[in-house]
Amino acid sequence: MKVLFLHICYQIRMKFNIINIDKVVSTNSYAQQLLESGDLHDGDVISTRFQESGRGQGNNFWESEPDSNLLISIILEPHMISASQQFVLTQLVSFAIADIVKEFVPQDSELLKAKIKWPNDIYIGNKKVAGVLFQNFIKGNKIEYSIVGIGINVNQKKFYSEAPNPVSIINYTNEQIDLDELLNKLLEKVGKNYEEYRIEKNFPILKSMYINDLYRFNSWATYSDKRNEFRGKIIDIDDFGRLLIESQNGEVKTFMFKEVEFLDF
Ligand code: BTN
């Protein structure tokens, strides 16, 4: 009976409403403006082919030449996720993007494997192919709404900004990819992960899927924190999304976003 119920629920896929705009300053900023005037709701997606001032994490600029890449902001009202569990959203979105990249880039060598670099960058080998800018608006202990800004480098062959290690899907396929097809596939995956989580709230499964795709999981590498550089291996993520790295002397260090830097690229 339970199986039947879940099966029926999975057919109820989330509906997305795509709003296409030729160019915009930033899809996240535009979405925020519309949300403030009450004009956007769960499942609306702002999609553009060019941003005049695309926003990355922190104060970074997100580079994207016109008509080349996927640039969207998805509006979610994830009332089933409490403010203290915000990392659930990070996991289900980054996992969906990594899955899409895997569909387009052949996964036949370790160097081509799509991975999630904690917390939500998507990497192919040691290069960044996609990034996510989350803006979560909290009320009480609930996420009232979230603007999920996603940039995937798709058909742009060269990058000119200071971004440390950008790469595009086309650098591995040598064929132009249809951005609408990619967008539809991505939304289907995000919607599936989102609905499944809404119904089952199976945090352990979500976490194990995320960890399974985690860049540098369980392998030795060099990191730096505010005190020094050290060798360590990622051993876990806690329920708040903090990264646990074991150093060579067996000490386990816990990091929030921006408290640790990945070295040796
Ligand atoms: C990062 O620095 O990794 C996050 C990059 C997020 C870029 C996307 S592109 C669409 C959306 N609108 C923005 O201004 N930024 C996000």
Side-chain angles (χ1 to χ4, degrees), residues 25-29 46 48 51 53-58 60-62 64 70-73 120-121 128 130-134 148-152:
V25 172
S26 143
T27 55
N28 269 44
S29 305
I46 309 282
T48 192
Q51 298 185 121
S53 188
R55 292 163 54 193
Q57 283 151 10
N60 295 340
F61 164 72
W62 184 256
S64 177
L70 185 118
L71 305 163
I72 58 165
S73 294
N120 51 36
D121 288 342
K128 177 164 168 173
V132 191
L133 179 63
F134 285 96
V148 184
I150 302 176
I152 306 183

Side-chain angles (χ1 to χ4, degrees), residues 12-40:
I12 309 168
R13 288 284 156 77
M14 183 165 181
K15 285 227 160 26
F16 290 100
N17 168 38
I18 302 172
I19 302 159
N20 287 301
I21 301 171
D22 285 346
K23 74 171 179 179
V24 71
V25 172
S26 143
T27 55
N28 269 44
S29 305
Y30 186 58
Q32 191 169 351
Q33 234 176 290
L34 293 185
L35 271 166
E36 280 161 11
S37 49
D39 291 333
L40 286 182

Side-chain angles (χ1 to χ4, degrees), residues 40 42 54 62 65 67 90 101 128 132 139 147 155 166-167 173 184 186 193 195 200-201 213 220 222 232 237 250 263:
L40 286 182
D42 198 39
W62 184 256
E65 65 185 24
D67 295 315
T90 305
V101 173
K128 177 164 168 173
V132 191
K139 198 173 181 185
I147 303 175
N155 292 320
V167 78
T173 57
N184 288 330
L186 175 68
N193 291 355
E195 286 307 325
E200 292 189 8
K201 299 208 178 51
D213 272 352
W220 292 101
T222 310
I237 303 282
L263 303 176

